[in-house]
């Protein structure tokens, strides 16, 4: 066969396929349980939207918002930050657009470096925050800025490895959790505690923990250890061993109540062993400093975040108060985006999230709540990875529900670039997202953490500027390029 004949044959085949694609029903043809589809010619030749997304530019615009502006005065700064609060893709959505929503929390942060006890921020989320991803970056930045050390609360048994803390145990430990598949034990009561899980030790349990070299610097050491316990019917002995020191605490019968045992160490350490003799429920171990701030990473694989309201509220109140909890972060929604979800199911899920917000508000009436919406998630549509159907509707429903219930909302989807941005993140070199087009890589999670921290910090800068402008010179020194330096001078 001659070359021109081969070429003609190929073009005839292409033309035939194009005609079939044009006349084939857009929704396909259903034959039994099989749905046959055919790609339209426009789908083959169109320019992919995600190819236009510049991930690096989006990242820089988020974390260097103020540095990219030519500001000459405090008033210029306030104007720029107010514009950020109203228009920027990485802004936080507030109830009634009130950007003062975090002001009381910021006031607590300002005094935390020199005031005991340290502030706790709980970051609950699904598998996006496993291994201390996202949380670790925010914690490190806040501990640099406001003081504090340690990774915060860890469970007695950690089933998922962490970049921050290494754990193992010896003895009998039965874990109960309110989330997870049917293989996870459920307790005969609702006293799950602040981690929505606990471990029951019937006799003896030894828990070894140490911070990893891969942890951020401020999370690598601690000088205060807290043991969250309850439900012991007999006297229990708890011994902390660290740096060659052994300190034993006697825990008397508290029946179904709750208690927190605390060890203050003479110096910082990066490891320890807890030996517990007696029957007891363990709700967590906090590795922290005496002052400053820490963020507790609480990953819940497979969870949609709709179960908190079923946890005993009195126990939650006790532990949150004892830990000086000043902010709740909830990061859920991805696991509710299952295949075939309907708008009605989205509405129902959003309403359920609203109930969880009310639950936390009843327990912590003066503590702000920040809900982090799901990131972009891709699915295969006719051979191409695209944003999941109804994801935008899910995010909008969550945003409206959250702010209407008096909490704040950060739109991960919008901040990372919007529609089809997950494909762009996955196509970066090195990749910022995993091949499943749902989860971030470690590098990508770090970027999301930095973007969220900088967004919150912009509101902190606005808080400080508005608080101090009446007492300070309105002209910024030319050599001060970063506003954090300005604020340290103002304090």
């Amino acid at each position: 066969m001659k070359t021109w004949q081969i070429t003609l044959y190929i073009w005839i085949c292409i033309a035939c396929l194009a005609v079939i694609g044009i006349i084939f029903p857009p929704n396909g043809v259903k034959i039994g349980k099989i749905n046959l589809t055919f790609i339209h010619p426009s789908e083959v030749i169109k320019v992919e939207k995600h190819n236009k997304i510049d991930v690096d530019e989006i990242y820089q615009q988020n974390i260097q918002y103020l540095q990219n502006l030519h500001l000459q005065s405090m008033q210029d700064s306030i104007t720029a930050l107010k514009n950020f609060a109203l228009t920027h893709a990485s802004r936080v959505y507030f109830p009634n657009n009130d950007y003062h929503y975090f002001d009381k929390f910021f006031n607590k942060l300002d005094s935390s470096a020199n005031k005991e006890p340290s502030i706790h921020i709980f970051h609950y989320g699904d598998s996006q925050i496993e291994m201390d991803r996202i949380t670790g970056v925010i914690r490190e930045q806040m501990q640099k800025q406001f003081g504090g050390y340690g990774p915060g609360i860890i469970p007695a048994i950690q089933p998922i490895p962490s970049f921050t803390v290494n754990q193992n145990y010896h003895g009998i430990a039965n874990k109960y959790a309110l989330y997870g598949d049917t293989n996870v034990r459920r307790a005969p009561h609702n006293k799950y505690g602040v981690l929505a899980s606990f471990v029951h030790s019937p006799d003896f349990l030894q828990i070894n923990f140490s911070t990893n070299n891969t942890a951020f610097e401020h999370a690598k050491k601690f000088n205060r250890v807290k043991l969250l316990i309850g439900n012991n019917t007999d006297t229990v002995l708890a011994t902390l061993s660290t740096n060659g020191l052994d300190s034993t605490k006697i825990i008397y019968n508290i029946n179904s109540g709750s208690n927190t045992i605390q060890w203050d160490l003479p110096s910082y350490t990066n490891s320890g062993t807890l030996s517990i003799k007696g029957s007891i429920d363990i709700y967590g171990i906090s590795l922290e400093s005496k002052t400053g701030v820490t963020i507790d990473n609480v990953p819940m694989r497979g969870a949609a975040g709709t179960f908190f309201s079923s946890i005993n509220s009195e126990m939650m109140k006790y532990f949150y108060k004892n830990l000086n909890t000043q902010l709740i972060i909830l990061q859920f929604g991805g696991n509710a985006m299952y295949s075939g979800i309907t708008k009605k199911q989205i509405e129902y899920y959003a309403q359920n999230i609203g109930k969880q917000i009310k639950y936390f508000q009843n327990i912590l009436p003066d503590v702000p709540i920040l809900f982090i919406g799901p990131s972009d998630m891709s699915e295969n549509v006719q051979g191409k990875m695209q944003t999941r159907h109804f994801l935008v509707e899910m995010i909008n429903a969550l945003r409206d529900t959250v702010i209407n219930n008096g909490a704040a909302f950060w739109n991960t989807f919008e901040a990372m670039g919007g529609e089809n941005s997950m494909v762009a993140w996955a196509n970066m070199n090195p990749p910022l997202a995993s091949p499943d087009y749902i989860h971030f890589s470690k590098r990508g999670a770090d970027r999301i953490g930095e973007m969220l921290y900088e967004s919150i910090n912009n509101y902190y800068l606005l808080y400080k500027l508005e608080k101090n402008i009446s007492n300070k010179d309105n002209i910024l020194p030319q050599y001060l390029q970063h506003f954090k330096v300005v604020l340290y001078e103002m304090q």
Side-chain angles (χ1 to χ4, degrees):
M1 186 177 285
K2 296 181 180 181
T3 303
W4 69 269
Q5 291 175 315
I6 295 174
T7 304
L8 178 61
Y9 175 76
I10 292 174
W11 279 109
I12 291 174
C13 290
I14 293 174
C16 290
L17 291 173
V19 171
I20 295 172
I22 292 171
I23 64 176
F24 210 86
N27 296 326
V29 175
K30 194 154 187 147
I31 303 176
K33 295 182 179 181
I34 300 174
N35 190 54
L36 298 178
T37 60
F38 208 90
I39 298 175
H40 193 276
S42 62
E43 293 293 321
V44 177
I45 63 175
K46 76 174 183 179
V47 177
E48 293 295 320
K49 184 175 181 180
H50 59 255
N51 289 336
K52 299 179 181 179
I53 296 174
D54 190 330
V55 177
D56 285 331
E57 182 180 356
I58 290 171
Y59 171 67
Q60 292 300 326
Q61 287 177 352
N62 275 275
I63 68 169
Q64 294 185 345
Y65 172 74
L66 288 179
Q67 292 93 315
N68 293 333
L69 302 176
H70 300 288
L71 305 175
Q72 301 297 321
S73 68
M74 294 289 186
Q75 191 57 54
D76 285 348
S77 311
I78 291 174
T79 300
L81 288 167
K82 286 183 178 179
N83 287 337
F84 174 91
L86 293 173
T87 64
H88 201 276
S90 192
R91 68 192 181 277
V92 176
Y93 293 84
F94 295 110
N96 303 314
N97 291 321
D98 182 11
Y99 61 82
H100 294 290
Y101 180 79
F102 288 133
D103 282 6
K104 290 182 180 179
F105 168 63
F106 292 150
N107 184 53
K108 297 280 187 179
L109 286 178
D110 276 344
S111 62
S112 64
N114 302 306
K115 186 177 180 181
E116 292 194 37
S118 61
I119 283 176
H120 275 258
I121 299 171
F122 275 83
H123 185 186
Y124 296 100
D126 51 30
S127 54
Q128 287 284 25
I129 70 168
E130 282 183 352
M131 303 181 75
D132 206 26
R133 296 181 309 153
I134 300 178
T135 311
V137 173
I138 304 170
R139 182 194 301 116
E140 178 68 8
Q141 294 299 326
M142 284 198 167
Q143 289 180 334
K144 282 182 182 178
Q145 190 170 356
F146 301 105
Y149 292 92
I153 292 182
I154 59 174
I157 298 175
Q158 179 59 276
I160 303 167
S162 169
F163 291 117
T164 305
V165 180
N166 181 49
Q167 293 176 243
N168 60 70
Y169 73 96
H170 302 284
I172 301 175
N174 299 315
K175 181 177 180 178
Y176 298 84
L178 197 52
Y179 58 92
D181 57 31
T182 55
N183 293 323
V184 179
R185 292 187 184 94
R186 299 291 190 261
H189 53 75
N190 66 348
K191 296 181 178 180
Y192 284 88
V194 292
L195 301 184
S197 67
F198 67 94
V199 165
H200 175 72
S201 175
D203 183 28
F204 173 79
L205 183 62
Q206 178 179 298
I207 305 166
N208 304 304
F209 48 85
S210 61
T211 58
N212 292 327
N213 292 331
T214 53
F216 288 99
E217 285 303 311
H218 284 72
K220 286 182 177 179
K221 62 181 184 179
F222 49 92
N223 64 359
R224 175 172 284 173
V225 177
K226 289 183 177 180
L227 178 63
L228 283 59
I229 56 170
N231 200 32
N232 62 304
T233 55
D234 298 312
T235 300
V236 173
L237 299 179
T239 301
L240 174 67
S241 302
T242 181
N243 286 349
L245 300 175
D246 294 326
S247 176
T248 299
K249 304 279 188 178
I250 302 175
I251 307 167
Y252 295 102
N253 181 354
I254 55 175
N255 292 319
S256 60
S258 308
N259 199 357
T260 302
I261 308 302
Q262 178 174 302
W263 289 266
D264 287 335
L265 308 179
S267 61
Y268 283 98
T269 185
N270 63 359
S271 63
T273 297
L274 272 171
S275 301
I276 303 169
K277 296 180 180 180
S279 176
I280 198 167
D281 291 343
I282 303 170
Y283 295 97
I285 303 163
S286 183
L287 312 177
E288 58 186 68
S289 55
K290 298 171 186 176
T291 59
V293 62
T294 191
I295 304 185
D296 307 297
N297 173 256
V298 191
M300 301 169 165
R301 178 176 292 185
T306 57
F307 50 75
F308 292 101
S309 56
S310 62
I311 302 176
N312 183 279
S313 60
E314 291 304 315
M315 172 175 278
M316 297 286 269
K317 284 181 184 178
Y318 171 81
F319 284 135
Y320 282 142
K321 181 178 179 181
N322 187 272
L323 294 166
N324 193 22
T325 303
Q326 297 299 331
L327 177 65
I328 297 291
I329 301 175
L330 304 172
Q331 185 170 350
F332 295 100
N335 288 316
M337 277 302 303
Y338 48 83
S339 178
I341 192 170
T342 64
K343 289 185 177 181
K344 187 172 183 180
Q345 289 168 330
I346 289 173
E347 181 182 350
Y348 177 77
Y349 174 70
Q351 291 173 351
N352 212 339
I353 289 297
K355 293 178 182 178
Q356 310 313 305
I357 291 171
K358 290 298 183 185
Y359 170 79
F360 282 107
Q361 289 170 337
N362 289 333
I363 294 174
L364 298 164
D366 297 321
V367 171
I369 299 168
L370 173 62
F371 192 98
I372 301 174
S375 62
D376 186 33
M377 304 166 66
S378 303
E379 63 182 354
N380 192 318
V381 179
Q382 296 184 342
K384 293 188 175 78
M385 300 306 296
Q386 299 179 11
T387 293
R388 284 194 179 186
H389 192 49
F390 284 145
L391 177 60
V392 174
E393 286 81 356
M394 169 68 82
I395 293 169
N396 291 340
L398 286 171
R399 180 198 61 208
D400 294 345
T401 298
V402 167
I403 60 177
N404 288 339
N405 280 278
F409 183 87
W410 193 69
N411 193 337
T412 312
F413 176 86
E414 188 176 20
M416 66 184 290
E419 186 178 354
N420 293 327
S421 55
M422 185 59 82
V423 176
W425 282 58
N427 289 341
M428 291 292 289
N429 186 21
L432 300 178
S434 66
D436 66 4
Y437 296 97
I438 296 174
H439 298 91
F440 295 107
S441 65
K442 172 64 166 61
R443 190 184 296 266
D446 285 350
R447 284 199 175 189
I448 291 296
E450 291 170 13
M451 291 161 64
L452 176 56
Y453 164 76
E454 289 296 341
S455 179
I456 296 172
N457 193 53
N458 281 339
Y459 294 98
Y460 174 74
L461 297 178
L462 181 56
Y463 158 78
K464 294 295 288 185
L465 287 167
E466 288 189 335
K467 185 177 180 181
N468 289 275
I469 191 170
S470 61
N471 301 321
K472 297 294 174 181
D473 190 346
N474 197 37
I475 304 299
L476 286 177
Q478 293 295 320
Y479 65 91
L480 292 176
Q481 298 298 317
H482 199 289
F483 278 75
K484 291 178 188 175
V485 178
V486 176
L487 295 178
Y488 292 151
E489 292 292 329
M490 290 162 53
Q491 290 177 342

